[in-house]
Amino acid sequence: MFDHPSFDQHERVVYAHDAATGLRAIVAIHSTARGPGAGGCRFWQYNSTHDALADALRLSRGMSYKNAMAGLPLGGGKAVVMIDARSPKTPAMLEAFGRFVDSLQGQYITAEDVGASVADMEIVATRTRYVSGLPRTAVSSDGNPSPKTALGVYLGIKAAVKYKLNKNELRGLTVAVQGLGGVGFELCKLLAADGVRLRVADVREAVTQKASHQFDAAVSAPDQILFERADVVAPCALGAIFDANTIPKLQTSIIAGAANNQLATAEDGARLHAAGVLYAPDYVINAGGIISVGREYLGGATAESITAEIHRIPVRLTEIFERSSATHRPTSELADEMARQLIAEAR
Ligand code: NAD
């Protein structure tokens, strides 16, 4: 682990195996300086344990940065479960995973991520209380964080437009949205209500049809949407979409969307900066969901206090934009630096 290219001062990495259910899981805890390491659990068919470890190390560090920048008293952690045809995800495996999480005694708090559902987390919760994002908690009706994420992205887009285009309103502007899932579709609702001209793309045709009818949105091909002429491009589907090939083709001056890990490599943040594109760092603008889920887990929050916290996302983004202008450095680099500083201060 210490020699792994993705190792970055992680506090703990724990492996678990359960012969009866085929569970093979890794929990990486990057930092508990600000609080217990919180981050979802990914069920995925990895090519090797090395790849699974890379994901756990990389994603747990990302959660440390995200939680710190969201102002939450939480550290960063992530779990990966290696599944395959011989060891598929089963209720018994989820229970075994719950026992594993419980054995860490609250140093790691899990939640749903790729390959896991709210229903899965309810099974995990029968074996441990260190799980968040559950339905029917005090301030949420269904445990679904997507509308909260969409609200944060919408407010972030407004902040970016104010900063880059010096406009207080979105009315009449064009926003291109890639991906109309839980977050993307909700985002379109908020933007359409503000009089934004929408351009959308999704690999699911039914959902683009729906957006076209509901919001009078123009539909683009999924492989073209990022390169449309638009005031803002909002990626809400895949990661690793901005690289040396795609950045020169952009026809926007603002990128502000929900997708995780939008930059293929750290250098791509510098490429966007050099191209004059204002990039809202993904883990800062998409924190609405973790704010909601995290606060529900920690307790003591109300629907109003959670909304108020989400309204601080644009304030944080504007601070990053201003620092970027003042120092001529990429927003992605500055966000990482600010996150590392918050963690170091807590330590
Ligand atoms: P989702 O799975 O509900 O939606 C993703 C959508 O993207 C789907 O409609 C899918 O068909 C579409 N899609 C897939 N490949 C595509 C392609 N090549 N081109 C166009 N569309 C494509 O996911 P979501 O919950 O809406 O999350 C969207 C992104 O935001 C993800 O990257 C996710 O990690 C990130 N994110 C989500 C949340 C949240 O609260 N849900 C929070 C933070 C970050």
Side-chain angles (χ1 to χ4, degrees), residues 66 144-146 149 178-184 201-204 207 222 236-239 258-260 286 289:
K66 183 171 185 155
N144 173 15
S146 301
T149 303
Q178 181 187 48
L180 299 172
V183 179
D202 198 289
V203 288
R204 298 181 295 141
V207 82
C236 297
L238 315 166
N260 276 317
N286 72 16

Side-chain angles (χ1 to χ4, degrees), residues 4-241:
H4 196 288
S6 300
F7 175 71
D8 185 20
Q9 303 186 26
H10 290 70
E11 289 176 13
R12 265 182 104 176
V13 177
V14 190
Y15 289 69
H17 176 240
D18 181 65
T21 61
L23 176 80
R24 288 176 300 157
I26 305 173
V27 167
I29 299 171
H30 175 255
S31 166
T32 55
R34 294 178 57 86
C41 175
R42 182 164 288 195
F43 286 77
W44 195 254
Q45 182 156 358
Y46 290 97
N47 289 329
S48 66
T49 310
H50 185 272
D51 286 0
L53 176 61
D55 231 14
L57 292 173
R58 200 173 50 81
L59 294 168
S60 60
R61 187 184 74 168
M63 288 309 301
S64 281
Y65 287 10
K66 183 171 185 155
N67 291 336
M69 290 300 275
L72 292 166
L74 293 171
K78 202 87 184 182
V80 299
V81 177
M82 302 173 68
I83 49 168
D84 57 29
R86 278 178 301 135
S87 309
K89 185 179 77 179
T90 59
M93 182 188 277
L94 289 162
E95 287 173 7
F97 175 69
R99 290 194 296 274
F100 173 34
V101 170
D102 205 58
S103 73
L104 301 172
Q105 298 180 316
Q107 280 207 346
Y108 167 64
I109 300 161
T110 198
E112 54 267 36
D113 192 65
V114 176
S117 64
V118 172
D120 292 341
M121 288 305 120
E122 288 192 289
I123 299 176
V124 172
T126 63
R127 295 296 179 271
T128 183
R129 61 196 169 93
Y130 304 118
V131 49
S132 60
L134 296 170
R136 293 180 297 282
T137 51
V139 287
S140 142
S141 52
D142 62 358
N144 173 15
S146 301
K148 301 286 196 295
T149 303
L151 173 62
V153 173
Y154 163 75
L155 296 170
I157 288 175
K158 285 179 84 157
V161 162
K162 169 82 186 129
Y163 195 77
K164 184 81 179 173
L165 307 177
N166 199 22
K167 288 201 159 85
N168 288 318
E169 281 195 17
L170 299 180
R171 181 165 299 281
L173 297 184
T174 302
V175 178
V177 181
Q178 181 187 48
L180 299 172
V183 179
F185 206 86
E186 285 296 317
L187 175 63
C188 287
K189 277 189 204 163
L190 295 168
L191 294 171
D194 263 7
V196 165
R197 279 197 290 251
L198 286 169
R199 234 179 205 289
V200 298
D202 198 289
V203 288
R204 298 181 295 141
E205 209 189 313
V207 82
T208 53
Q209 293 288 337
K210 191 171 162 202
S212 159
H213 288 129
Q214 200 166 324
F215 312 124
D216 200 19
V219 178
S220 294
D223 58 354
Q224 271 309 305
I225 185 82
L226 297 176
F227 315 120
E228 297 288 4
R229 190 177 294 279
D231 297 292
V232 180
V233 167
C236 297
L238 315 166
I241 46 179

Side-chain angles (χ1 to χ4, degrees), residues 231-292:
D231 297 292
V232 180
V233 167
C236 297
L238 315 166
I241 46 179
F242 298 117
D243 58 25
N245 290 322
T246 58
I247 291 169
K249 293 197 254 171
L250 294 172
Q251 299 202 64
T252 186
S253 60
I254 298 173
I255 289 171
N260 276 317
N261 304 316
Q262 292 172 34
L263 305 178
T265 64
E267 291 77 55
D268 296 307
R271 281 197 182 95
L272 285 173
H273 182 75
V277 177
L278 183 67
Y279 170 64
D282 45 19
Y283 62 83
V284 181
I285 194 172
N286 72 16
I290 190 73
I291 289 172
S292 156

